[in-house]
Each structure stands twice: as C-alpha cells, then as structure tokens.
Amino acid sequence: MTDVRSSRVGSEELTATYDVVIVGAGFAGMYMLHKVRQLGLSARVYDAAKGVGGTWYWNRYPGARCDVMSLDYSYSFDPELEQEWEWTEKYATQPEILSYANHVADRYDLRPDIQFDTRIERSSFDEEAGRWTVRTSAGDVVSAQHIVMAVGTLSTPKLPEIDGIDSYEGETYQTQRWPHDGVDLSGKRVAVIGTGSSGIQAIPNIAAQAATTTVFQRTPNYSMPAGNRPLDAEEVAERKAGYPAYRQAARESFFGVPIAGEPKMALDVTEEERNAAYQAGWDAGSLVGLVGAFGDILFSKEANDTAAEFVRTKIRSIVDDPQVAEDLCPDDYPVGTKRPCLDTDYFATFNKDNVRLVNVRRTPIVCITPTGLDTTEERFEFDAIVYATGFDALTGSLVSVDVEGRGGATLKEAWADGPTTYLGLAAAGFPNFHLVTGPQSPSVLSNMMVSIEQHVEWIADAIEYLRDNGYETMEATPEAVNAWVEHSTELGNQTLYPLADSWYMGANVPGKPRVFLPYIGGVGPYREKCDEVAAAGYEGFKLV
Ligand code: FAD
Ligand code: NAP
C-alpha cells in the first residue's frame, strides 16, 4: 500500500508524489500538462523520447509530413498561439511540425515538468490508498492520484515477421525510428518493405537519392496526390481571421475537418456527376476529397467500387508499364477501409529506370539474408533495407506498460479479446486511469488534433469535478463499458471497414484480436455524447 505521508510503497521508497502522472509528451501529453497546471495540480510527464513531439520526434524519414492540412492540424486552444504560428506549406514537413511542438513546449514553459528519456514500465493501482504507483525505467517510484495515458495510437513500431531479419549485415532503417542526423542513401542499393502512408511518403524521396530502389509491396494502396504547395499569405490571413468559427465547425464535423454541404449518395447520381465529384476530390489533394465525396462510400460496396475504380484508372494513367500499374492497383479491399494516403509523385516514381516494384503476393519474401533478401523467385542484394511496416496501433503502447488495476487485474489480460473502454476514455477496473484518444474513440479516424484537444479537455474537466465535489476516484462501470463497446462495434459493422485487413482491425499484428478499434460515429456526435455524460454527473462512472 502507498502511504503518501511516509513516502513508501510496500518495501520501496517513493521518489515523488504528484496529483497527475502523464505518460507521453506528444501533442496529447503536452496539452494535458498545460491543462492540469491550470487546475493548480502537480504533474509529471514522462516520455521515452529525448524531446517533445511524439510522432514528430520519432518519424523523421525523408518526406514525412502531415496529411491533414497544417492550418487544421494544429492546436486551437489558445487563439494567440494559432495566430502567431506561421505554417509555410499546405502539408507541413516533419521538421516544421516538430519545431511547432518545441515552440509550444517553450511558450507554455512545459519542460520543467517533463522527464525525457524515461519509459513508464509499470503502473499499479493501490486500492487502499486510491492512488497509482508508477515505476519508470530510470528507477523512479512515483505515487499519483491520476494517470493519463497520452501514449499515442501510432507509437509502437512494428517490424515484419520475416525469417532471418536479424541476420542482415547492411544498414537497417525503420521509418518510425529514423536517425536524427538523417541518412545519406546516395549511390546505394536500397530495399523498402512496406507501402502504407510512411512508405508512400518516403519512397519518392529515397528513389531521388539511391542508386537503385526496390519496393517490396504486399498490399497496394489507394493514394492520391497531396497537391502540396507553399501557403499563400492571403489564405493564411483569411483562415486566421475566421478561426473561431472554423475550429468550431471542425469540432462539430464528422472527421474533425469541416466539409461544406450535405453529401449526396454516389448511387443516386449519374456516372458523369460521380466522376466529376471524384475528380474534384482527387484535385483537392485532401484525405476526405474522395471518401467524403459521397455519403455512401464507406457504407455501400457498390458505391465504394465506383470510387475505387476511379483511383485505379488514375494509377493506370500515371504508370507506364501496364504490369507494374496493375500491381499498384488495389482491388481486394474498399477504398477508405485502410487509411488512405496522400503522396507526392508516388506512382510516377515507378516510371524511373532505377526503381523496381516487387509484388510479394506473387513472389513472397522467403527470408532476409546477411546481404539482402530472398523471394520465392529471386535473390536480392542491398546496401540498406528500410522497413516502413507500421505500428501495433491503438492498443500497442497501452498494453506494453504493465498496468495493474483493481484486484491486480492487468490491462493486457482485460483486453486479451480486444480493448473494452467507455468512450475510449476509461476502462472498468482501472480507476482514475485516463486514456487520450483510446480505442473506441474517433481518434485515428479524425484530425487527431481535434480529438486530442477534446479528450484532454474532457479529462481535465473530470479531474476538476472530482476535486471540487470531494471525490477521489472515478471508474467506468462494466455496464457502461459493455454498452459502449457494443455500440461502437455495431456502428463499425455497418461500414465497410471490417472488409479490410487493416491496422484499424488489428489485422497487421499476428495474434491480435480482429476487432474494429476506432469509433466511427463521427467527431461531432461523439463529442456531444461525452458532454452529455459529463453534464449528467459522469454517467456510467462510479465516483467514490
Ligand atoms: P504521440 O505523438 O504518438 O506521442 C506519444 C508519446 O508517448 C511518444 O513520444 C512516446 O515515446 C511516448 N510513450 C509511449 N509509451 C510510453 C511509455 N510507456 N513511457 C514513456 N513514454 C511513452 N494524425 C493526423 O491527424 N494527421 C496527420 O497528418 C498525421 N500524420 C501522421 C504521420 C505519421 C508518420 C504518424 C506515425 C502518425 C500521424 N498522425 C497524424 C497520427 C499522430 O500520431 C497524431 O496526429 C498525434 O501526433 C498523436 O499525438 P499523441 O501525443 O497522442 O501521441
Ligand atoms: P501501415 O499503414 O501499417 O503500412 C505498413 C506497410 O508495411 C503495409 O504496406 C504492410 O502491408 C507492409 N508490411 C507489413 N509487414 C509486411 C511484411 N511482412 N511483408 C511485406 N510488407 C509488409 O504503416 P505506416 O505506413 O507507418 O502508416 C501507419 C499510419 O500512420 C497511417 O495509416 C497513418 O494513419 C499514419 N501516417 C500518416 C502519414 C501522413 O501522411 N501524415 C504518414 C505516415 C503514417 P499490408 O498492408 O499487406 O499489411
């Protein structure tokens, strides 16, 4: 038991006591710290990274940039911050987004309360004291009333299960852990494994340097041109002037980005009208340009097929070699059900003489060798292998901490058949354990900045409510959790998402339960639900 007065937990000496421990110093953790401080509470943030920024600290591969427009993908909580920061491109580069994160850390003087280079390894709830004991890789043993998991949804990198992966003697890189000093690939024979958003952004940039680039593709992607460009002063001024209404519209929208007007249904219009809308979506260079063109694309396979065929026609028109074009055309899952990608010259890159596509569905990778890799048909030699193979998404970083709740039950065991949360914010049996953009919340199906701000504000309000009303703990009831999971699953099953082997479904991690992880009810309606829960005195939570 934690005795805060004697600063001991069992036989261990407590190194510190806080009101709130926050795990992660990405955009979620930084804002959480700011909010908690405003409540006059003490807090400590821990991050395994050596700096702030989370995603944008770790993912430094060439070409890394956001795919939600910079003017949307930014904090809205402080009008002064949003007015003073100058984004230079429609889609900001990783260095620019990281500078923004550092600017925020400096502007709100966050660093004194952040401990970098420190992983949270274990966290256990002491029922008698009603507090969490948190243990770090640096040897700290800390007591906290609340723990906020701002650990990120895409923050546990995943390497492929390929035999011999450790035997490779050349240079190995991961997009999710790119070296901070950059990598010079000029003159080298480079392999890239993985063609999700990271691979699709990195490949044209790698191909611009390397002597040869060989791309190993398992599943082709529906990617659209980003149409990236410098922002012009007039549009920035206009957006900044209209920010209050625009941000509000984003909060009430479906994806966290306002879309004008009510969409028609693809199957209700003529082929001509449909293709004109798809062309406009394609030209817009926006993630929602195509998927948001009609209201039925994510719900009706027949409607979806029309959008998917539009993209395939585009790919065929860009790629010179008909076989390569066919290999690059996705055709076994609906458009939008794996996260769509935005690119700069991705498909055209395969027209270069020194770039080769290997379709590993036709010729699977057998093993990695000390000098390259073998497929069923060919032996390849490389100077460098780049893995762009994604993440153990949404749950990976949560269950990799050894979290012990009430009665010693672990989060890992509790979620063995898939995560079960109330609103993606809390789990039964884990009091005062708060999730930012947890599973069964809109998170990765939205502009994450909007979802992060909403969760952080909701959690801060809840903590304030407990304090002001004399409560010590809040805990989601099993009934509320079950009802929410059922509702979230039911909504997911009404869409086409379950048809794809995506990380949304946990399908990219062997042994991970196949369940639809995010919430597809829309950012605006979801926010309303969270607000109703709070207004009803935190309905669905047991307050003690
Ligand atoms: P993160 O940024 O992932 O930060 C979590 C932090 O927690 C990390 O620094 C990690 O080191 C730390 N951490 C985790 N576990 C522990 C532990 N046990 N102990 C200590 N520290 C820990 N979203 C969009 O909406 N638009 C985009 O354009 C977009 N682009 C993306 C591009 C890439 C390459 C990737 C990978 C993701 C992108 N995302 C995008 C999603 C992105 O993750 C979120 O937008 C956002 O940055 C998440 O912020 P966060 O603070 O929640 O998590
Ligand atoms: P990802 O989308 O999961 O892509 C991983 C890729 O690796 C897939 O093509 C996958 O193929 C492939 N792969 C995995 N194991 C393999 C194996 N054994 N053999 C061959 N190929 C294998 O991961 P990501 O590209 O890092 O993107 C993750 C998410 O981060 C994105 O969906 C997005 O949300 C975010 N992100 C955003 C941006 C942006 O543009 N702003 C950039 C990067 C990331 P399969 O599809 O067949 O599994």
mmCIF file of all heavy atoms in Angstrom, residues 194-228:
data_model
loop_
_atom_site.group_PDB
_atom_site.id
_atom_site.type_symbol
_atom_site.label_atom_id
_atom_site.label_comp_id
_atom_site.label_asym_id
_atom_site.label_seq_id
_atom_site.Cartn_x
_atom_site.Cartn_y
_atom_site.Cartn_z
ATOM 1 N N GLY A 194 7.163 -2.247 -47.361
ATOM 2 C CA GLY A 194 6.001 -1.553 -46.797
ATOM 3 C C GLY A 194 5.571 -0.380 -47.656
ATOM 4 O O GLY A 194 6.387 0.462 -48.045
ATOM 5 N N THR A 195 4.281 -0.358 -47.979
ATOM 6 C CA THR A 195 3.736 0.697 -48.839
ATOM 7 C C THR A 195 2.465 1.291 -48.231
ATOM 8 O O THR A 195 1.461 1.500 -48.902
ATOM 9 C CB THR A 195 3.447 0.139 -50.257
ATOM 10 O OG1 THR A 195 2.618 -1.022 -50.116
ATOM 11 C CG2 THR A 195 4.717 -0.223 -50.989
ATOM 12 N N GLY A 196 2.489 1.552 -46.911
ATOM 13 C CA GLY A 196 1.438 2.338 -46.267
ATOM 14 C C GLY A 196 1.805 3.810 -46.388
ATOM 15 O O GLY A 196 2.666 4.193 -47.205
ATOM 16 N N SER A 197 1.181 4.650 -45.583
ATOM 17 C CA SER A 197 1.433 6.103 -45.681
ATOM 18 C C SER A 197 2.916 6.432 -45.563
ATOM 19 O O SER A 197 3.427 7.292 -46.291
ATOM 20 C CB SER A 197 0.692 6.852 -44.579
ATOM 21 O OG SER A 197 -0.678 6.612 -44.640
ATOM 22 N N SER A 198 3.621 5.759 -44.639
ATOM 23 C CA SER A 198 5.048 6.080 -44.427
ATOM 24 C C SER A 198 5.858 5.703 -45.660
ATOM 25 O O SER A 198 6.654 6.508 -46.163
ATOM 26 C CB SER A 198 5.602 5.342 -43.206
ATOM 27 O OG SER A 198 4.884 5.674 -42.049
ATOM 28 N N GLY A 199 5.666 4.475 -46.149
ATOM 29 C CA GLY A 199 6.398 4.042 -47.327
ATOM 30 C C GLY A 199 6.093 4.938 -48.519
ATOM 31 O O GLY A 199 6.994 5.351 -49.256
ATOM 32 N N ILE A 200 4.827 5.266 -48.685
ATOM 33 C CA ILE A 200 4.405 6.061 -49.844
ATOM 34 C C ILE A 200 4.998 7.476 -49.797
ATOM 35 O O ILE A 200 5.332 8.051 -50.825
ATOM 36 C CB ILE A 200 2.862 6.036 -49.928
ATOM 37 C CG1 ILE A 200 2.444 4.705 -50.565
ATOM 38 C CG2 ILE A 200 2.304 7.230 -50.710
ATOM 39 C CD1 ILE A 200 0.949 4.469 -50.653
ATOM 40 N N GLN A 201 5.162 8.013 -48.590
ATOM 41 C CA GLN A 201 5.816 9.326 -48.491
ATOM 42 C C GLN A 201 7.329 9.203 -48.699
ATOM 43 O O GLN A 201 7.955 10.067 -49.308
ATOM 44 C CB GLN A 201 5.565 9.947 -47.111
ATOM 45 C CG GLN A 201 4.169 10.532 -46.951
ATOM 46 C CD GLN A 201 4.022 11.325 -45.650
ATOM 47 O OE1 GLN A 201 4.681 11.029 -44.653
ATOM 48 N NE2 GLN A 201 3.156 12.311 -45.666
ATOM 49 N N ALA A 202 7.909 8.116 -48.173
ATOM 50 C CA ALA A 202 9.373 8.007 -48.189
ATOM 51 C C ALA A 202 9.921 7.592 -49.557
ATOM 52 O O ALA A 202 10.982 8.077 -49.978
ATOM 53 C CB ALA A 202 9.819 7.001 -47.122
ATOM 54 N N ILE A 203 9.209 6.693 -50.252
ATOM 55 C CA ILE A 203 9.771 6.054 -51.455
ATOM 56 C C ILE A 203 10.229 7.062 -52.530
ATOM 57 O O ILE A 203 11.359 6.977 -53.015
ATOM 58 C CB ILE A 203 8.793 4.983 -52.000
ATOM 59 C CG1 ILE A 203 8.847 3.760 -51.070
ATOM 60 C CG2 ILE A 203 9.092 4.590 -53.444
ATOM 61 C CD1 ILE A 203 7.663 2.805 -51.165
ATOM 62 N N PRO A 204 9.424 8.070 -52.899
ATOM 63 C CA PRO A 204 9.910 9.003 -53.918
ATOM 64 C C PRO A 204 11.181 9.734 -53.482
ATOM 65 O O PRO A 204 12.053 10.028 -54.310
ATOM 66 C CB PRO A 204 8.748 9.998 -54.082
ATOM 67 C CG PRO A 204 7.550 9.239 -53.615
ATOM 68 C CD PRO A 204 8.044 8.357 -52.508
ATOM 69 N N ASN A 205 11.307 9.996 -52.179
ATOM 70 C CA ASN A 205 12.483 10.710 -51.677
ATOM 71 C C ASN A 205 13.703 9.800 -51.616
ATOM 72 O O ASN A 205 14.822 10.224 -51.897
ATOM 73 C CB ASN A 205 12.182 11.288 -50.283
ATOM 74 C CG ASN A 205 11.127 12.374 -50.386
ATOM 75 O OD1 ASN A 205 11.427 13.496 -50.745
ATOM 76 N ND2 ASN A 205 9.874 12.005 -50.127
ATOM 77 N N ILE A 206 13.472 8.542 -51.266
ATOM 78 C CA ILE A 206 14.575 7.579 -51.263
ATOM 79 C C ILE A 206 15.045 7.358 -52.703
ATOM 80 O O ILE A 206 16.242 7.360 -53.001
ATOM 81 C CB ILE A 206 14.116 6.251 -50.602
ATOM 82 C CG1 ILE A 206 13.917 6.478 -49.099
ATOM 83 C CG2 ILE A 206 15.112 5.125 -50.870
ATOM 84 C CD1 ILE A 206 13.293 5.310 -48.354
ATOM 85 N N ALA A 207 14.068 7.223 -53.600
ATOM 86 C CA ALA A 207 14.411 6.967 -55.007
ATOM 87 C C ALA A 207 15.161 8.144 -55.627
ATOM 88 O O ALA A 207 15.912 7.969 -56.582
ATOM 89 C CB ALA A 207 13.141 6.664 -55.797
ATOM 90 N N ALA A 208 14.951 9.328 -55.081
ATOM 91 C CA ALA A 208 15.650 10.503 -55.621
ATOM 92 C C ALA A 208 17.134 10.478 -55.272
ATOM 93 O O ALA A 208 17.941 11.166 -55.904
ATOM 94 C CB ALA A 208 15.006 11.777 -55.069
ATOM 95 N N GLN A 209 17.494 9.687 -54.256
ATOM 96 C CA GLN A 209 18.896 9.636 -53.808
ATOM 97 C C GLN A 209 19.599 8.351 -54.217
ATOM 98 O O GLN A 209 20.739 8.369 -54.655
ATOM 99 C CB GLN A 209 18.905 9.589 -52.272
ATOM 100 C CG GLN A 209 18.919 10.881 -51.563
ATOM 101 C CD GLN A 209 19.071 10.613 -50.055
ATOM 102 O OE1 GLN A 209 19.714 9.659 -49.619
ATOM 103 N NE2 GLN A 209 18.484 11.478 -49.279
ATOM 104 N N ALA A 210 18.915 7.237 -53.978
ATOM 105 C CA ALA A 210 19.577 5.932 -54.052
ATOM 106 C C ALA A 210 19.957 5.567 -55.482
ATOM 107 O O ALA A 210 19.361 6.057 -56.443
ATOM 108 C CB ALA A 210 18.633 4.878 -53.487
ATOM 109 N N ALA A 211 20.963 4.681 -55.604
ATOM 110 C CA ALA A 211 21.334 4.188 -56.939
ATOM 111 C C ALA A 211 20.189 3.349 -57.489
ATOM 112 O O ALA A 211 19.779 3.521 -58.641
ATOM 113 C CB ALA A 211 22.610 3.356 -56.846
ATOM 114 N N THR A 212 19.690 2.443 -56.666
ATOM 115 C CA THR A 212 18.504 1.672 -57.052
ATOM 116 C C THR A 212 17.568 1.591 -55.846
ATOM 117 O O THR A 212 18.016 1.554 -54.701
ATOM 118 C CB THR A 212 18.855 0.225 -57.476
ATOM 119 O OG1 THR A 212 19.421 -0.460 -56.354
ATOM 120 C CG2 THR A 212 19.809 0.187 -58.650
ATOM 121 N N THR A 213 16.283 1.570 -56.140
ATOM 122 C CA THR A 213 15.283 1.422 -55.076
ATOM 123 C C THR A 213 14.375 0.267 -55.466
ATOM 124 O O THR A 213 13.780 0.285 -56.549
ATOM 125 C CB THR A 213 14.452 2.715 -54.924
ATOM 126 O OG1 THR A 213 15.353 3.799 -54.670
ATOM 127 C CG2 THR A 213 13.455 2.610 -53.777
ATOM 128 N N THR A 214 14.295 -0.728 -54.582
ATOM 129 C CA THR A 214 13.425 -1.875 -54.850
ATOM 130 C C THR A 214 12.351 -1.881 -53.775
ATOM 131 O O THR A 214 12.656 -1.955 -52.583
ATOM 132 C CB THR A 214 14.238 -3.189 -54.813
ATOM 133 O OG1 THR A 214 15.379 -3.024 -55.653
ATOM 134 C CG2 THR A 214 13.397 -4.356 -55.296
ATOM 135 N N VAL A 215 11.105 -1.772 -54.217
ATOM 136 C CA VAL A 215 9.988 -1.665 -53.273
ATOM 137 C C VAL A 215 9.278 -3.009 -53.186
ATOM 138 O O VAL A 215 8.822 -3.542 -54.200
ATOM 139 C CB VAL A 215 8.997 -0.570 -53.743
ATOM 140 C CG1 VAL A 215 7.778 -0.510 -52.821
ATOM 141 C CG2 VAL A 215 9.694 0.788 -53.809
ATOM 142 N N PHE A 216 9.206 -3.535 -51.973
ATOM 143 C CA PHE A 216 8.514 -4.806 -51.754
ATOM 144 C C PHE A 216 7.113 -4.491 -51.241
ATOM 145 O O PHE A 216 6.950 -3.986 -50.132
ATOM 146 C CB PHE A 216 9.310 -5.672 -50.774
ATOM 147 C CG PHE A 216 10.620 -6.127 -51.361
ATOM 148 C CD1 PHE A 216 11.753 -5.310 -51.284
ATOM 149 C CD2 PHE A 216 10.715 -7.328 -52.043
ATOM 150 C CE1 PHE A 216 12.950 -5.707 -51.862
ATOM 151 C CE2 PHE A 216 11.913 -7.729 -52.625
ATOM 152 C CZ PHE A 216 13.033 -6.913 -52.542
ATOM 153 N N GLN A 217 6.136 -4.781 -52.086
ATOM 154 C CA GLN A 217 4.745 -4.411 -51.782
ATOM 155 C C GLN A 217 3.892 -5.658 -51.567
ATOM 156 O O GLN A 217 3.855 -6.549 -52.406
ATOM 157 C CB GLN A 217 4.176 -3.601 -52.946
ATOM 158 C CG GLN A 217 2.671 -3.359 -52.825
ATOM 159 C CD GLN A 217 2.039 -2.958 -54.140
ATOM 160 O OE1 GLN A 217 2.039 -1.789 -54.501
ATOM 161 N NE2 GLN A 217 1.520 -3.934 -54.872
ATOM 162 N N ARG A 218 3.216 -5.666 -50.420
ATOM 163 C CA ARG A 218 2.269 -6.763 -50.184
ATOM 164 C C ARG A 218 0.864 -6.318 -50.588
ATOM 165 O O ARG A 218 0.178 -6.981 -51.330
ATOM 166 C CB ARG A 218 2.304 -7.191 -48.720
ATOM 167 C CG ARG A 218 1.519 -8.450 -48.458
ATOM 168 C CD ARG A 218 1.877 -9.061 -47.125
ATOM 169 N NE ARG A 218 1.502 -8.198 -46.006
ATOM 170 C CZ ARG A 218 1.807 -8.472 -44.741
ATOM 171 N NH1 ARG A 218 2.496 -9.553 -44.439
ATOM 172 N NH2 ARG A 218 1.435 -7.650 -43.792
ATOM 173 N N THR A 219 0.458 -5.146 -50.082
ATOM 174 C CA THR A 219 -0.876 -4.643 -50.429
ATOM 175 C C THR A 219 -0.741 -3.256 -51.046
ATOM 176 O O THR A 219 -0.181 -2.355 -50.417
ATOM 177 C CB THR A 219 -1.757 -4.543 -49.156
ATOM 178 O OG1 THR A 219 -1.714 -5.800 -48.469
ATOM 179 C CG2 THR A 219 -3.183 -4.202 -49.507
ATOM 180 N N PRO A 220 -1.234 -3.077 -52.267
ATOM 181 C CA PRO A 220 -1.195 -1.735 -52.847
ATOM 182 C C PRO A 220 -2.184 -0.807 -52.138
ATOM 183 O O PRO A 220 -3.100 -1.270 -51.462
ATOM 184 C CB PRO A 220 -1.603 -1.956 -54.308
ATOM 185 C CG PRO A 220 -2.232 -3.292 -54.372
ATOM 186 C CD PRO A 220 -1.849 -4.071 -53.147
ATOM 187 N N ASN A 221 -1.983 0.475 -52.285
ATOM 188 C CA ASN A 221 -2.798 1.443 -51.560
ATOM 189 C C ASN A 221 -3.507 2.419 -52.479
ATOM 190 O O ASN A 221 -3.004 2.741 -53.543
ATOM 191 C CB ASN A 221 -1.896 2.248 -50.624
ATOM 192 C CG ASN A 221 -2.251 1.981 -49.188
ATOM 193 O OD1 ASN A 221 -3.379 2.227 -48.785
ATOM 194 N ND2 ASN A 221 -1.315 1.442 -48.436
ATOM 195 N N TYR A 222 -4.665 2.875 -52.033
ATOM 196 C CA TYR A 222 -5.366 3.944 -52.743
ATOM 197 C C TYR A 222 -4.715 5.258 -52.314
ATOM 198 O O TYR A 222 -5.043 5.790 -51.255
ATOM 199 C CB TYR A 222 -6.839 3.979 -52.349
ATOM 200 C CG TYR A 222 -7.627 2.748 -52.731
ATOM 201 C CD1 TYR A 222 -7.836 1.723 -51.819
ATOM 202 C CD2 TYR A 222 -8.173 2.622 -54.006
ATOM 203 C CE1 TYR A 222 -8.576 0.598 -52.158
ATOM 204 C CE2 TYR A 222 -8.921 1.493 -54.353
ATOM 205 C CZ TYR A 222 -9.111 0.491 -53.429
ATOM 206 O OH TYR A 222 -9.842 -0.617 -53.766
ATOM 207 N N SER A 223 -3.779 5.739 -53.105
ATOM 208 C CA SER A 223 -3.132 7.001 -52.735
ATOM 209 C C SER A 223 -3.525 8.082 -53.725
ATOM 210 O O SER A 223 -3.757 7.806 -54.905
ATOM 211 C CB SER A 223 -1.610 6.816 -52.723
ATOM 212 O OG SER A 223 -1.010 7.974 -52.202
ATOM 213 N N MET A 224 -3.599 9.294 -53.212
ATOM 214 C CA MET A 224 -3.990 10.433 -54.065
ATOM 215 C C MET A 224 -2.932 11.516 -53.961
ATOM 216 O O MET A 224 -2.254 11.615 -52.928
ATOM 217 C CB MET A 224 -5.325 11.008 -53.584
ATOM 218 C CG MET A 224 -6.477 10.077 -53.830
ATOM 219 S SD MET A 224 -7.953 10.635 -52.960
ATOM 220 C CE MET A 224 -7.522 10.348 -51.285
ATOM 221 N N PRO A 225 -2.798 12.345 -54.983
ATOM 222 C CA PRO A 225 -1.776 13.397 -54.907
ATOM 223 C C PRO A 225 -2.130 14.416 -53.822
ATOM 224 O O PRO A 225 -3.270 14.871 -53.735
ATOM 225 C CB PRO A 225 -1.800 14.039 -56.300
ATOM 226 C CG PRO A 225 -3.055 13.578 -56.947
ATOM 227 C CD PRO A 225 -3.520 12.334 -56.254
ATOM 228 N N ALA A 226 -1.122 14.760 -53.019
ATOM 229 C CA ALA A 226 -1.347 15.702 -51.916
ATOM 230 C C ALA A 226 -1.553 17.128 -52.435
ATOM 231 O O ALA A 226 -2.181 17.949 -51.779
ATOM 232 C CB ALA A 226 -0.162 15.666 -50.961
ATOM 233 N N GLY A 227 -0.988 17.394 -53.608
ATOM 234 C CA GLY A 227 -1.069 18.776 -54.117
ATOM 235 C C GLY A 227 -0.440 19.740 -53.120
ATOM 236 O O GLY A 227 -0.950 20.833 -52.893
ATOM 237 N N ASN A 228 0.678 19.288 -52.537
ATOM 238 C CA ASN A 228 1.315 20.165 -51.548
ATOM 239 C C ASN A 228 1.863 21.420 -52.237
ATOM 240 O O ASN A 228 2.216 21.394 -53.410
ATOM 241 C CB ASN A 228 2.433 19.410 -50.831
ATOM 242 C CG ASN A 228 2.928 20.182 -49.638
ATOM 243 O OD1 ASN A 228 2.129 20.775 -48.910
ATOM 244 N ND2 ASN A 228 4.227 20.210 -49.442
#
